[in-house]
């Protein structure tokens, strides 16, 4: 019902009940402000709801406006909760506006602009009168309560008042009390004069201190100007040393760059030597493996020749040649291994 009424009243945004499952004070404040403006466009309610105090003031202002103008009593606590309970309070205002739109739509369209402005102006003046009447009512109640308390004490105070009136006035006592009062006043006047004199002394002391500080400041400024104008005696030596230091620094940078370059070259040379050494080691390992394989092959072939029964003299000479070759290979492998 609330969403349908707001849509019928012409609210620009779409509202669903899911927006009020969790507290949503921004939406509630926006709806309240729109309803108030819909009810009376010339209202001046501050829309600031950033801090807690602003929210409380906003809720109180809206509730007071609806109570004075539309005679609608709103629960401020439920409105401040900004959840489903706040929708019930908003429904009170929307139902009134929705009923007025349905019943008096034609009359409101025929109303002239002058009559409406006059009606609004009269309402504004009545709000001020209502505030003044409320203030006067609160003052009347407080004054009446204090008057009632005083009238209750009148029985006791009447006797004291009659006794004080009937008692004859003693001139000596009155004179004594007046002298005491005069002395008190004179003491206060003397204290005030002393304070004024102290203020004058303090002012003179402060002025003397200010003048003294001004003179010190002027002397310091003059001394600074003289120091800035005079060239120190050691400045020439300082400039020479600075030039030498600049030269030493430039030579240091050059030597440092050369040293880093030489170190890089040395690292590259060592890296290439390491790679060559690894390649030679790999080649030597391959040659050793190859020689071992050939030696094993020759040994196997020599065993086969020895096991043969029918050996000829020519074959015997061939076996001697093979033995010589084997011995040469042994000597070469040993020299390689030693190397």
């Amino acid at each position: 019902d609330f969403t349908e009424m707001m849509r019928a009243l012409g609210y620009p945004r779409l509202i669903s009940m899911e927006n009020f499952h969790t507290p949503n004070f921004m939406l509630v404040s926006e709806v309240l402000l729109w309803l108030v403006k819909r009810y009376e466009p010339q209202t001046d309610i501050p829309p600031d709801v950033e801090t807690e105090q602003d929210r409380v003031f906003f809720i109180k202002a809206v509730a007071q406006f609806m109570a004075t103008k539309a005679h609608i009593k709103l629960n401020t606590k439920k409105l401040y909760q900004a959840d489903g309970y706040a929708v019930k309070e908003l429904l009170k205002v929307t139902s009134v506006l929705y009923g007025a739109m349905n019943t008096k739509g034609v009359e409101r369209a025929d109303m002239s602009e002058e009559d409406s402005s006059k009606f609004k102006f009269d309402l504004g003046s009545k709000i001020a009168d209502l505030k003044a009447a409320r203030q006067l009512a609160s003052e009347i109640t407080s004054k009446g309560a204090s008057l009632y308390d005083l009238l209750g004490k009148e029985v006791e105070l009447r006797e004291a008042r009659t006794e004080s009136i009937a008692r004859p006035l003693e001139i000596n006592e009155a004179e004594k009390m007046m002298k005491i009062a005069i002395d008190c006043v004179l003491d206060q006047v003397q204290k005030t004069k002393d304070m004024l004199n102290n203020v004058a002394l303090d002012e003179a002391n402060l002025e003397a201190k200010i003048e003294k500080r001004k003179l010190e400041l002027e002397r310091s400024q003059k001394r600074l100007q003289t120091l800035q104008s005079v060239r120190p005696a050691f400045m020439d030596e300082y400039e020479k040393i600075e030039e030498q230091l600049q030269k030493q620094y430039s030579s240091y940078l050059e030597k440092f760059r050369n040293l880093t370059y030489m170190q890089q070259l040395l690292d590259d040379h060592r890296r290439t030597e390491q790679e060559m050494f690894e390649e030679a080691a790999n080649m030597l390992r391959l040659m050793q493996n190859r020689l071992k394989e050939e030696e094993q092959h020759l040994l196997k072939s020599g065993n086969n020749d020895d096991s043969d029964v029918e050996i000829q003299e020519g074959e015997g000479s061939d076996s001697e040649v093979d033995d010589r070759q084997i011995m040469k290979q042994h000597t070469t492998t040993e020299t390689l291994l030693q190397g």
Side-chain angles (χ1 to χ4, degrees):
D1 296 334
F2 175 72
T3 56
E4 291 177 0
M5 288 181 181
M6 291 297 291
R7 193 180 296 110
L9 289 172
Y11 188 68
R13 290 178 56 184
L14 295 175
I15 302 174
S16 64
M17 294 307 294
E18 293 178 359
N19 299 126
F20 299 95
H21 286 170
T22 57
N24 192 353
F25 191 85
M26 299 302 294
L27 181 59
V28 172
S29 63
E30 185 179 353
V31 171
L32 282 172
L33 189 62
W34 187 83
L35 290 172
V36 169
K37 293 290 184 182
R38 178 80 175 178
Y39 192 86
E40 186 175 353
Q42 294 181 354
T43 54
D44 189 9
I45 294 175
D48 296 330
V49 291
E50 294 179 358
T51 61
E52 184 178 358
Q53 294 179 355
D54 294 336
R55 293 180 180 182
V56 172
F57 181 77
F58 177 79
I59 294 295
K60 285 183 178 180
V62 172
Q64 186 177 2
F65 173 81
M66 297 310 296
T68 55
K69 293 296 184 68
H71 301 286
I72 299 172
K73 186 177 180 181
L74 298 175
N75 193 343
T76 55
K77 291 182 179 180
K78 292 182 179 179
L79 287 174
Y80 192 81
Q81 289 177 2
D83 53 2
Y85 294 101
V87 177
K88 295 181 181 179
E89 302 298 322
L90 294 172
L91 193 60
K92 296 178 182 178
V93 184
T94 53
S95 60
V96 172
L97 293 173
Y98 184 75
M101 185 182 68
N102 291 331
T103 56
K104 297 182 180 180
V106 179
E107 294 179 0
R108 186 173 56 195
D110 295 337
M111 185 185 295
S112 63
E113 294 180 357
E114 294 179 358
D115 295 337
S116 62
S117 63
K118 187 185 291 184
F119 177 68
K120 290 171 186 176
F121 179 76
D122 293 335
L123 286 176
S125 62
K126 287 181 180 178
I127 289 172
D129 295 339
L130 181 61
K131 290 181 179 179
R134 284 185 176 180
Q135 187 175 2
L136 290 173
S138 62
E139 290 179 358
I140 288 167
T141 53
S142 61
K143 297 291 184 182
S146 61
L147 182 62
Y148 179 77
D149 295 334
L150 293 173
L151 289 174
K153 296 177 181 179
E154 176 64 21
V155 178
E156 298 176 358
L157 296 174
R158 187 182 300 166
E159 296 177 359
R161 186 170 61 251
T162 54
E163 288 179 359
S164 62
I165 292 170
R167 187 175 61 184
L169 183 64
E170 295 181 359
I171 297 173
N172 294 326
E173 186 177 358
E175 187 178 358
K176 185 179 180 180
M177 296 299 293
M178 290 296 292
K179 286 182 178 179
I180 292 169
I182 290 167
D183 292 335
C184 291
V185 172
L186 291 174
D187 291 335
Q188 290 180 358
V189 171
Q190 188 63 33
K191 289 180 181 179
T192 306
K193 287 181 179 179
D194 294 336
M195 290 174 67
L196 291 172
N197 293 327
N198 293 327
V199 168
L201 292 173
D202 294 335
E203 187 177 358
N205 293 326
L206 289 172
E207 288 179 355
K209 288 181 180 179
I210 289 167
E211 291 294 331
K212 186 177 179 181
R213 293 297 174 87
K214 284 182 179 178
L215 293 173
E216 291 179 357
L217 179 62
E218 289 178 358
R219 286 197 296 269
S220 300
Q221 287 179 353
K222 289 179 180 178
R223 188 177 178 185
L224 179 62
Q225 289 176 0
T226 54
L227 290 172
Q228 287 177 353
S229 61
V230 175
R231 182 180 176 83
F234 58 86
M235 200 67 189
D236 297 332
E237 186 178 0
Y238 173 76
E239 290 177 355
K240 291 179 181 178
I241 294 170
E242 191 175 5
E243 290 177 358
Q244 292 177 2
L245 181 62
Q246 188 68 28
K247 292 178 181 178
Q248 292 292 332
Y249 182 70
S250 60
S251 63
Y252 167 73
L253 286 176
E254 186 177 358
K255 290 178 181 179
F256 183 76
R257 285 196 294 268
N258 294 331
L259 180 61
T260 53
Y261 178 70
M262 296 298 290
Q263 286 179 353
Q264 186 178 1
L265 291 176
L266 182 60
D267 293 336
D268 295 338
H269 182 66
R270 287 177 179 174
R271 195 179 299 109
T272 52
E273 285 184 351
Q274 184 68 25
E275 291 176 356
M276 291 172 66
F277 179 74
E278 289 178 357
E279 289 178 359
N282 291 327
M283 292 294 293
L284 184 60
R285 196 178 295 109
L286 292 172
M287 289 173 67
Q288 287 177 359
N289 293 329
R290 193 180 300 166
L291 290 171
K292 284 180 182 180
E293 290 177 358
E294 291 179 357
E295 186 178 357
Q296 290 177 3
H297 180 67
L298 292 171
L299 288 173
K300 287 180 181 180
S301 63
N303 290 326
N304 293 326
D305 293 336
D306 291 337
S307 63
D308 194 2
V309 180
E310 293 180 356
I311 300 172
Q312 298 178 359
E313 292 179 356
E315 291 177 355
S317 62
D318 295 333
S319 65
E320 290 176 356
V321 174
D322 294 334
D323 291 334
R324 290 176 183 175
Q325 291 178 355
I326 291 167
M327 290 299 291
K328 287 181 181 180
Q329 289 177 358
H330 277 295
T331 55
T332 53
T333 53
E334 287 178 359
T335 53
L336 289 170
L337 288 172
Q338 289 176 0

